Amino acid sequence: MIGIIDYGAGNVGNVQRALSFHNERSTILRCPDQINNSIDLLILPGVGAFAPAMSALEKEGWPFFLSQWVEKGHPLLGICLGLHLLCEGGEEGGYRKGLGFLEGVIRHLGTQKYPHMGWNSLEWIRSAQGLEKSCHSNDYFYFVHSYGLPQTNDTVAIARVEEREVSAICLRDSVAAFQFHPERSGSAGLSILKGAIDLLRRHS
Amino acid sequence: MLTKRIIPCLDVKNGRVVTGINFVNLKDTGNPAEMALRYMEEQADELVFLDISASVERRCTMKSWVKEVADRIFIPFTVGGGISSAEQAREIIALGADKIALNTAAVKNPEIIEECAALLGRQAIVLAIDVKEVKPGRWEVYIEGGQTPTGIDALQWIRQGVDLGCGEILLTSMDRDGTKIGYDIPLLSQVATMVPVPIIASGGAGTKEHILEAFNVGCDGALAASIFHFGIVDIPDLKKWLKEQHIAIRYLEA
């Protein structure tokens, strides 16, 4: 069973529907107390701004719980704003500390046009433990964000926006994160979502 | 590389997709979720639904068709039509829509753009604007389904809308709408470089060359209705052709 963390930022229903497509059972969690032994993987989705989202997580005691979860090597998958929150911090609306499971700080994209909105391709920059195999070289994924993570040691794939690069997929131990929305990226998105779940489960 | 978007637009009335010219002789063309699924399979990049029901009926039917679309498709979609409060916008997003489009309500009460952006994030707020050219190089904003002139200059309203927090502009030329003679390129070329947010061209597309023109002047997306609904332009063919014209486009060989 997969637990989807609902902290009021964005639509958890669409993530749940994408999981159902793969016959993955999931449940929506508002606070860590709702976690039971059947949950083997957590998803942190989200759209919106960094600081209020971090406050919402803190209010329910998620940062402490998630630190223990990750320390024990349990799988955690971030999507979009979820990727941002997993990093060391974010500069959206003033610096704010993040969960710190992934390296780097979230910054404005600095592009002429923003949000970076639409379908973009991926460029794999280092081994992604087989996740590469869950998509084709000419697949596209749906991005929508104005802030992002510059390339770090955890970045396995980037996307190019105007003349810049942004982390598209990060991997570190039992933590994975997508900047794009796999649940909104058609069949390519569904396939890479499944790939990440399988990879994280093998890891734990 | 970020690709240009092909966006079919579906008008919904009482929970059914309808097509017609200038809102008359409306014909029932299908169920919103079934048409959405078909467009997803044909590689549409996203979808826009505009609910044209009378306001009383709209509240009742929207809940069911928006949820049904969300249940069936895995590409982004926008819902517009009569949204007049941030709370209504939130309800639609909660049903599974990715973005909401504001039009008349935003002109009457511009603060609604700020309220919606604060609640849902600016990426979820599309400002839909209907304009008519009143003299060469000057366009006026119309509201209430294009029936009411406002005296507001379109370029000024676009700048204000972006300042207030919309994440995208859906710009419809009423002069061109339904004519199939091409988008209003002079208007779009000014707007595409004027503001930092993505611009979706709307009104007048009749051929694949028209869509190429919009992309060549800097538009990020091209919206059309009847040419897609009636199969005048086939989306996979269009995307293949655009790719051959060196436009960045998401296209997968069948």
Side-chain angles (χ1 to χ4, degrees):
Chain A
M1 175 90 94
I2 294 174
I4 307 171
I5 301 174
D6 181 8
Y7 53 103
N11 193 292
V12 292
N14 289 338
V15 174
Q16 193 161 36
R17 282 185 275 262
L19 295 173
S20 305
F21 179 87
H22 291 300
N23 298 315
E24 287 285 353
R25 290 176 62 220
S26 61
T27 182
I28 289 168
L29 305 167
R30 294 198 171 270
C31 61
D33 292 349
Q34 292 174 316
I35 291 192
N36 58 46
N37 288 334
S38 66
I39 292 172
D40 66 337
L41 190 152
L42 290 176
I43 295 184
L44 183 64
V47 291
F50 192 98
M54 202 59 210
S55 300
L57 287 177
E58 279 165 0
K59 198 171 153 231
E60 298 295 341
W62 282 110
F64 179 71
F65 178 86
L66 290 173
S67 300
Q68 289 183 317
W69 178 268
V70 170
E71 209 161 285
K72 286 179 197 151
H74 295 325
L76 174 62
L77 174 66
I79 297 174
C80 195
L81 180 62
L83 178 151
H84 296 186
L85 297 167
L86 295 179
C87 293
E88 290 165 45
E91 289 182 349
E92 188 174 3
Y95 184 82
R96 179 76 186 251
K97 200 168 171 290
L99 294 165
F101 309 144
L102 294 173
E103 193 182 301
V105 172
I106 304 303
R107 301 210 158 88
H108 195 274
L109 291 173
T111 45
Q112 283 177 349
K113 277 216 180 185
Y114 55 87
H116 169 215
M117 192 190 292
W119 298 75
N120 206 331
S121 49
L122 302 181
E123 226 172 276
W124 297 91
I125 58 163
R126 57 171 67 87
S127 162
Q129 302 169 40
L131 184 59
E132 310 91 318
K133 295 193 192 93
S134 60
C135 57
H136 303 103
S137 59
N138 57 350
D139 276 342
Y140 289 87
F141 300 88
Y142 189 78
F143 289 79
V144 50
H145 61 121
S146 296
Y147 285 76
L149 179 67
Q151 192 177 312
T152 73
N153 291 318
D154 298 328
T155 308
V156 295
I158 56 155
R160 291 190 186 277
V161 198
E162 295 175 12
E163 304 302 313
R164 292 163 189 268
E165 298 168 354
V166 66
S167 295
I169 306 176
C170 292
L171 280 183
R172 181 169 170 181
D173 304 327
S174 66
V175 179
F178 297 131
Q179 175 61 72
F180 54 86
H181 287 274
E183 78 282 13
R184 279 351 230 168
S185 300
S187 53
L190 293 171
S191 169
I192 205 164
L193 177 64
K194 178 76 175 136
I197 290 167
D198 292 346
L199 170 69
L200 289 175
R201 281 200 176 129
R202 278 201 305 275
H203 210 286
S204 66
Chain B
M1 195 172 181
L2 184 63
T3 57
K4 302 286 187 183
R5 288 175 272 155
I6 301 297
I7 309 171
C9 178
L10 300 101
D11 286 333
V12 180
K13 194 173 183 201
N14 304 333
R16 299 287 293 176
V17 176
V18 292
T19 46
I21 293 169
N22 302 328
F23 297 105
V24 292
N25 298 326
L26 294 179
K27 268 191 287 188
D28 186 320
T29 41
N31 167 289
E34 275 160 23
M35 288 190 70
L37 195 63
R38 199 191 83 204
Y39 279 123
M40 178 174 82
E41 284 161 0
E42 288 176 357
Q43 302 188 36
D45 294 306
E46 60 181 85
L47 301 171
V48 169
F49 292 91
L50 296 176
D51 199 312
I52 58 169
S53 314
S55 59
V56 185
E57 299 146 7
R58 194 187 300 129
R59 289 296 291 259
C60 313
T61 56
M62 232 179 199
K63 232 177 191 152
S64 64
W65 73 257
V66 173
K67 183 163 185 316
E68 205 191 332
V69 170
D71 279 344
R72 301 281 290 275
I73 67 167
F74 296 105
I75 58 171
F77 71 101
T78 301
V79 173
I83 298 167
S84 58
S85 72
E87 178 50 29
Q88 280 174 22
R90 195 198 57 77
E91 278 175 24
I92 292 168
I93 297 286
L95 292 170
D98 296 270
K99 306 180 225 180
I100 56 99
L102 296 170
N103 189 332
T104 301
V107 172
K108 289 185 171 170
N109 170 29
E111 290 78 46
I112 191 179
I113 301 174
E114 276 179 310
E115 289 163 24
C116 287
L119 191 66
L120 304 165
R122 55 196 302 160
Q123 83 295 328
I125 316 304
V126 180
L127 183 58
I129 308 177
D130 298 328
V131 305
K132 259 188 194 175
E133 190 167 22
V134 283
K135 60 179 185 194
R138 193 180 180 282
W139 292 268
E140 182 179 351
V141 176
Y142 275 65
I143 55 170
E144 285 159 347
Q147 290 178 39
T148 314
T150 63
I152 297 169
D153 177 68
L155 302 187
Q156 194 191 323
W157 176 229
I158 289 168
R159 284 195 195 93
Q160 193 187 344
V162 172
D163 288 345
L164 288 168
C166 75
E168 186 163 79
I169 303 279
L170 168 54
L171 187 55
T172 303
S173 161
M174 293 168 56
D175 306 305
R176 301 298 181 108
D177 207 24
T179 63
K180 298 192 175 68
I181 57 168
Y183 294 111
D184 189 336
I185 294 299
L187 168 67
L188 293 168
S189 58
Q190 277 199 48
V191 173
T193 51
M194 188 180 81
V195 285
V197 304
I199 304 291
I200 310 303
S202 162
T207 65
K208 51 191 197 303
E209 286 81 5
H210 294 151
I211 288 172
L212 176 65
E213 277 176 356
F215 291 153
N216 279 337
V217 297
C219 291
D220 303 275
L223 179 140
S226 57
I227 58 165
F228 296 142
H229 301 329
F230 298 125
I232 297 162
V233 172
D234 173 75
I235 295 176
D237 281 354
L238 166 69
K239 295 186 95 173
K240 183 170 191 263
W241 180 80
L242 287 167
K243 206 170 174 180
E244 286 161 8
Q245 310 306 308
H246 308 293
I247 296 293
I249 206 92
R250 177 178 73 106
Y251 171 70
L252 301 169
E253 294 277 355

